[in-house]
Amino acid sequence: MALIGTMLFFSVVPIANLLLGLSTKDYGLWYQVGLAVRQGLDVYPRPETGRLFPFMYPPSAAAMLGFVSVLGPIGTLIALVLVNSVSWLACIALSVWLAAGPGMKRHPLVVIVPTLSVIVLVHNIYLLGQPNLLLLALVLGAFVCLRLGRNIAAGSLVATAAAIKAFPILVLGYLIYRRRWTATAATVVVLAAWLLIAPLPFRTPVQAVDDVVVWSQGMLFTYNTHGIAQRPLRSYSYKNQSIMAVLHRLLRDVPADGESVLSRRTRAGQGGPRPSNGPQLDPATDLLSFLKPHHGPAAVAQPIRAGVGTAIGAGGVNAAIPGAPGDGMGAAEPIPRWNDAIQGAESALRAAWKVNLLHLDFRTVTAITLAAMLGLCWFVAAVMPSRDCRTRETDALEFALVTLLTVIFSPLSFNYAYVWLLYPTTLALHLVLSERADTPPRRHRLKVAWLAAVLLIPALAIPMPQVAQACGNLFVPALLLVFGLGAMLRAAGRRRFAPTEIPPAHLAHRDQHALTTSTRVVRGS
């Protein structure tokens, strides 16, 4: 009941914000994107405009929002909140099932503590409208399907997660390494269908292909001294705890909060705060402003402006945006670009606060980052057991390591992305609490200290929020989990148990029954 009550509280907040005319964070953008897609507008600015993407997710995600937006602004928000709640339940149930196994005894803390350890991140996901709980549920579902020998379903779930937000595609590397060819093929085919077929109710085949090309150029192949993908300086800010961002902050003279510098300059360039009946949208990432150069006259984008304004109410799109569609100005009036802001902000950026320990150049830090990523991949590959030594326990550990590397390697792993620590923490806690009685006391104390560090380091953000995040208060626990669980996997792989690569039919049936039972238990907690 406590879990259900928490879900209701987290769900009520964004709904109340919408009804009260307060900021709905990303929910408003998702609805704008859905409307834009349904009206046939391009949601990705052309590369030649030099302007950032207001919507960074793949075209398949835009198509999904096109269908969801039919529910209206309130219906869309409620639907997304419900998806988060169902996903949260699924993440807990699947994590426990993978960690403890079907029909096995588990300590009650295995269900409670991991959720409490990421509860702040879960709240952020509800408040912001991010899909990371859904992505984790899909990836964990794929791991369950691999355990049950259902490779096509596993690949389909990985592809669906990647179609929503690209970074789960990194799981494909694991499927290839383990030679799960059926799951690999299913991932590729289903992802292609999401990218090229799902948008067809709104886009022509040529437009669908063009959207993938433009999005790929802007998101996958943009990496320079100013930032990663579509968020210059913000991608190196303290909020991003990917391995790329953390190493750039610690090893290069880059602002730990450069985005605030650019935001202040942008607001100053607009002559101060813009008048509005509700919360402000950043003029550098307002979807309606970005749509302008695609369609010439302002009247083309006017229908969506009116639709969003009346539907979202005080969502900020009614604000007076200089040069935006519908403000009476022609399409030739340029909207300020982030590059222009960066070029005029060198002195302010040099004076911004930093946490770097060294002053290396961009290429050197990039080389170190690649070496670190390759080193982590080598470590995980080295501790993985051979095919004939795999067991349920080793598979659970492998899946946890893949989960950790996926979130660490994602170029834009903002804080809420580390809700993916839910499963690795569940597994770590289960392994520590279920250790055999004959385990040497010194080894047990070492494991307890390791787990305590994983759970307590994120709390450093309470006394020093920005500095702790800038130094990786979530990234460091993820690394500790990689090395700790990797050592456990190495030890477990040396025990020669019977192989269980593809479980027999009766075991698969038993696992399915146990999964259903685990889900019912979580719902009742």
Side-chain angles (χ1 to χ4, degrees):
M1 292 302 297
L3 179 62
I4 300 301
T6 304
M7 287 180 176
L8 289 175
F9 173 74
F10 286 175
S11 301
V12 165
V13 174
I15 296 174
N17 286 340
L18 176 62
L19 296 177
L20 294 175
L22 303 176
S23 172
T24 56
K25 306 297 182 179
D26 287 336
Y27 291 108
L29 177 61
W30 304 156
Y31 184 63
Q32 287 187 61
V33 170
L35 285 180
V37 169
R38 284 164 50 200
Q39 295 188 18
L41 301 178
D42 297 337
V43 296
Y44 305 111
R46 304 298 306 181
E48 58 268 19
T49 65
R51 296 159 74 184
L52 299 180
F53 293 180
F55 180 73
M56 299 192 298
Y57 293 17
S60 47
M64 296 177 193
L65 291 172
F67 291 109
V68 176
S69 65
V70 175
L71 300 174
I74 297 179
T76 297
L77 192 150
I78 291 175
L80 296 176
V81 165
L82 287 175
V83 167
N84 273 335
S85 297
V86 174
S87 300
W88 191 3
L89 284 172
C91 289
I92 297 173
L94 294 172
S95 295
V96 173
W97 189 90
L98 287 167
M104 301 295 290
K105 293 181 61 177
R106 55 173 173 77
H107 197 286
L109 292 178
V110 172
V111 177
I112 299 171
V113 172
T115 294
L116 290 179
S117 70
V118 296
I119 194 70
V120 174
L121 306 180
V122 173
H123 174 258
N124 287 341
I125 286 174
Y126 273 87
L127 184 64
L128 298 174
Q130 285 292 319
N132 292 75
L133 274 172
L134 173 59
L135 303 180
L136 177 60
L138 291 170
V139 170
L140 293 180
F143 292 154
V144 169
C145 289
L146 290 177
R147 281 296 312 162
L148 298 176
R150 299 187 174 181
N151 293 298
I152 294 179
S156 299
L157 290 173
V158 172
T160 302
I164 297 171
K165 198 170 184 177
F167 76 92
I169 196 61
L170 296 174
V171 177
L172 182 62
Y174 170 72
L175 299 179
I176 295 173
Y177 179 81
R178 275 303 188 186
R179 299 182 182 181
R180 295 294 191 106
W181 303 124
T182 302
T184 299
T187 302
V188 174
V189 171
V190 174
L191 181 58
W194 274 118
L195 290 172
L196 301 176
I197 298 178
L200 292 183
F202 314 107
R203 312 288 283 171
T204 66
V206 173
Q207 287 177 321
V209 173
D210 183 65
D211 287 343
V212 173
V213 172
V214 172
W215 174 81
S216 299
Q217 290 176 347
M219 285 299 300
L220 303 183
F221 305 112
T222 300
Y223 170 61
N224 53 48
T225 57
H226 294 310
I228 308 164
Q230 288 294 308
R231 293 298 177 259
L233 294 181
R234 182 170 189 260
S235 51
Y236 290 146
S237 78
Y238 68 93
K239 298 177 183 178
N240 184 7
Q241 297 207 32
S242 70
I243 188 171
M244 299 173 69
V246 171
L247 290 180
H248 273 279
R249 283 198 302 270
L250 295 179
L251 302 179
R252 195 161 67 90
D253 188 23
V254 60
D257 192 17
E259 62 176 315
S260 64
V261 175
L262 297 187
S263 295
R264 287 193 296 268
R265 289 182 57 84
T266 300
R267 287 193 295 269
Q270 297 294 336
R274 293 177 290 138
S276 172
N277 295 327
Q280 304 289 333
L281 284 181
D282 188 336
T285 55
D286 188 328
L287 176 63
L288 300 181
S289 298
F290 278 87
L291 292 178
K292 183 180 178 182
H294 292 256
H295 300 281
V300 176
Q302 184 67 24
I304 183 174
R305 181 182 177 84
V308 176
T310 56
I312 295 184
V317 292
N318 291 347
I321 306 173
D327 66 359
M329 300 177 67
E333 182 70 20
I335 301 297
R337 299 177 302 175
W338 276 104
N339 282 342
D340 300 332
I342 291 174
Q343 291 173 3
E346 289 86 353
S347 59
L349 293 174
R350 282 195 298 269
W353 71 281
K354 304 176 179 67
V355 294
N356 59 301
L357 304 175
L358 299 175
H359 296 268
L360 304 179
D361 60 72
F362 174 75
R363 290 188 176 182
T364 302
V365 175
T366 298
I368 293 174
T369 302
L370 292 176
M373 295 171 70
L374 289 174
L376 287 174
C377 291
W378 176 86
F379 171 78
V380 171
V383 300
M384 283 184 179
S386 60
R387 184 183 182 93
D388 58 349
C389 292
R390 293 178 60 185
T391 67
R392 172 173 293 280
E393 180 185 357
T394 63
D395 274 359
L397 287 162
E398 281 189 18
F399 297 153
L401 292 175
V402 172
T403 301
L404 290 165
L405 290 189
T406 301
V407 71
I408 289 173
F409 288 174
S410 172
L412 299 177
S413 280
F414 295 107
N415 294 342
Y416 49 77
Y418 279 84
V419 74
W420 277 39
L421 294 182
L422 177 64
Y423 168 54
T425 304
T426 299
L427 178 59
L429 186 61
H430 169 71
L431 293 176
V432 171
L433 292 177
S434 62
E435 273 197 317
R436 297 184 302 180
D438 59 350
T439 302
R442 182 177 179 181
R443 181 180 301 175
H444 180 71
R445 287 194 297 269
L446 180 61
K447 290 182 179 179
V448 170
W450 162 72
L451 184 57
V454 168
L455 294 174
L456 294 178
I457 288 176
L460 292 174
I462 297 175
M464 44 181 182
Q466 291 188 338
V467 174
Q469 294 177 73
C471 295
N473 72 311
L474 296 173
F475 171 78
V476 171
L479 272 186
L480 290 175
L481 283 168
V482 169
F483 293 122
L485 294 177
M488 293 181 183
L489 177 57
R490 180 66 173 173
R494 291 175 177 174
R495 307 185 200 116
R496 296 276 176 173
F497 294 121
T500 58
E501 178 71 14
I502 304 292
H506 70 282
L507 291 181
H509 176 74
R510 186 191 70 180
D511 286 357
Q512 286 179 310
H513 174 72
L515 176 59
T516 304
T517 304
S518 175
T519 304
R520 292 174 180 170
V521 170
V522 170
R523 288 177 177 174
S525 62

